[in-house]
Amino acid sequence: MNYLLRLSAAALFFSVVSFPAFAQEQDWVAESNQHAQFVLELLASFGPEGAGRIGVDGLDEEILDLNPGVYERGMDALSEVRAELVERLEAAEHPKVRQDLEILIQSIDDNITTSELERENMLPYFNLNQTIFQGVRALIDPQVPRERYPAAIVRIEKYAGLADGYTPLVQLAIDRTSERFDVDGLVGPYRGEVEQDLERAETMIAGIEERLAGTDLQGWEETYSTLASQMREYNDWVRAEILPRARDDYRLPPAMYANALRNWGVDASPDELIEQATKGYMDIRNEMEALAPVVARAHGYETDDYREVIAL
C-alpha cells in the first residue's frame, strides 16, 4: 500500500522486546519501551487493523485512514514524532536508551524517504479485499477474546460508510488513486500483483461472511451485504482503471529499487551491485579458462575451451 506509515519492524522489535530483562536493567528497558510505544501508537493510528499485532490497544473499532490529505497528514505526523524523538534523545542519559532512540529516528527518516519516493514515482493502489478481510479477522479469531468480537460489526459499518461521518472505504480508495491519474511519470502497480489480488478477491469477501457467521453476533447481515457489493464494485473498477495502467515489468523504478536496498541494509547502489556481480562472473570465468586444459587432460580430452570442459 502506497505512502502509508510503515516503520521498520526489525527496528521496533529490537527496541521493544530484544533486551534481557535483568533486574538491574529494568529502568532503562522500561524507558526504552515507552519511546518505542510512542512510535507504535502513531503507526497504529493510520492502520488500526494491525494495532493489536504491534501491541497497541484501544483501536478495535477504528479503520484504515484513506481520507483526503492522508499523505500530507501522515508526513506531518512523522515530522512531529521525529522532532519529539530528537528532544528525547537530547534528554536521555543511558547509552542503550540513546541507541534505541537513534534506531527509531533512523526508522522515521527511512519512512519519510520511502513515502516521498512512492509519492513521486508510484500510482497508489490498494488491495482493499485483503485490508477489510484482515480487519475482520483481527477481531474474530479463536485466539481473540469474545468481548472484542462486536467491534468487527462496528468496523464493517465504517468500511461500508454506514456509520455517521464515514464515507465507504472503497470510494476513498478510488478517490486517492484517481486523483493521481493525471500526474505525469507515475508507475502503476505490477500487473501480476493486481491480477493475483483480483483472483483472491471472492475468497476474501466470502471469508468475511464466514468469520461473522461463525459467531453468535447478530444484525451484521445487511451491513455485510452492502459492504460485499461495494467490494465487488471496487474490483470491477480495478479491472477497468488499474489493470490498463499496471506495469508488465515487476522491477521497481531505479530510485525505488535503490531505496529498497537501503532499507534492507544494503549500502551499495544497484549499479555498484551490477558491477560487483559482473566482476565476480568474469573472475570465475577467467579461472575456469585457466583450469580448462588441466581438467581436460585429467579426463583424457584435448581441449582448451572451458565451455567444452563443462559440457564434458
Side-chain angles (χ1 to χ4, degrees):
M1 187 170 296
N2 293 291
Y3 61 78
L4 297 179
L5 307 181
R6 62 182 72 68
L7 297 180
S8 167
L12 291 172
F13 178 81
F14 182 74
S15 297
V16 177
V17 299
S18 67
F19 300 112
F22 298 120
Q24 64 270 28
E25 296 180 333
Q26 285 302 293
D27 290 343
W28 77 260
V29 170
E31 180 182 352
S32 183
N33 286 347
Q34 287 176 359
H35 298 318
Q37 190 69 18
F38 171 65
V39 178
L40 289 171
E41 288 173 359
L42 167 69
L43 179 68
S45 68
F46 283 84
E49 287 86 350
R53 294 196 302 273
I54 59 175
V56 178
D57 298 325
L59 298 177
D60 284 357
E61 295 185 357
E62 304 305 317
I63 67 170
L64 175 68
D65 181 359
L66 290 182
N67 289 295
V70 61
Y71 171 77
E72 292 78 10
R73 287 184 285 106
M75 295 297 281
D76 288 345
L78 283 173
S79 297
E80 291 174 5
V81 168
R82 188 188 190 284
E84 173 64 24
L85 291 175
V86 169
E87 290 186 8
R88 295 185 182 194
L89 176 61
E90 293 172 351
E93 297 180 355
H94 197 289
K96 291 185 177 180
V97 172
R98 293 181 60 83
Q99 182 183 54
D100 278 4
L101 284 165
E102 289 169 352
I103 291 172
L104 290 172
I105 291 170
Q106 184 60 55
S107 293
I108 294 287
D109 289 341
D110 292 344
N111 198 314
I112 290 173
T113 298
T114 299
S115 297
E116 289 175 341
L117 286 171
E118 289 192 350
R119 180 74 167 177
E120 294 167 2
N121 290 277
M122 307 299 294
L123 179 70
Y125 163 66
F126 306 97
N127 182 4
L128 289 192
N129 301 290
Q130 178 175 289
T131 297
I132 294 173
F133 172 74
Q134 290 181 343
V136 173
R137 184 176 63 178
L139 296 171
I140 299 178
D141 185 271
Q143 298 180 350
V144 174
R146 168 61 181 78
E147 57 267 23
R148 295 178 61 191
Y149 284 17
I153 296 181
V154 178
R155 266 194 179 161
I156 65 172
E157 289 174 347
K158 291 180 177 180
Y159 286 141
L162 299 177
D164 290 343
Y166 283 81
T167 301
L169 189 63
V170 300
Q171 186 59 55
L172 293 176
I174 290 172
D175 291 345
R176 297 294 74 75
T177 300
S178 59
E179 68 188 8
R180 304 286 290 169
F181 278 168
D182 295 332
V183 178
D184 292 336
L186 296 187
V187 177
Y190 175 48
R191 180 180 302 278
E193 174 192 359
V194 178
E195 291 175 341
Q196 184 178 75
D197 291 345
L198 291 171
E199 289 173 1
R200 296 174 176 175
E202 281 301 319
T203 300
M204 297 287 183
I205 294 172
I208 296 169
E209 183 177 22
E210 290 172 4
R211 292 273 169 169
L212 292 165
T215 71
D216 58 355
L217 296 174
Q218 302 294 319
W220 54 266
E221 290 83 0
E222 186 174 348
T223 300
Y224 166 77
S225 179
T226 299
L227 178 60
S229 295
Q230 292 173 351
M231 294 170 70
R232 292 185 176 106
E233 291 172 3
Y234 178 73
N235 294 330
D236 290 340
W237 180 84
V238 168
R239 291 186 184 92
E241 299 293 342
I242 300 301
L243 276 179
R245 293 176 167 87
R247 68 184 194 277
D248 294 323
D249 191 338
Y250 65 87
R251 289 177 294 183
L252 292 168
M256 296 289 298
Y257 182 58
N259 182 67
L261 288 174
R262 284 193 297 272
N263 287 340
W264 280 102
V266 180
D267 294 329
S269 69
D271 289 340
E272 290 171 337
L273 291 175
I274 292 171
E275 181 180 352
Q276 292 171 12
T278 302
K279 181 180 182 301
Y281 167 75
M282 295 299 294
D283 289 344
I284 293 173
R285 191 185 71 172
N286 292 338
E287 291 176 4
M288 293 176 67
E289 287 179 339
L291 290 172
V294 177
V295 174
R297 286 194 296 270
H299 288 80
Y301 295 95
E302 294 184 1
T303 179
D304 291 337
D305 189 335
Y306 77 96
R307 287 165 294 191
E308 292 183 13
V309 173
I310 293 174
L312 296 174

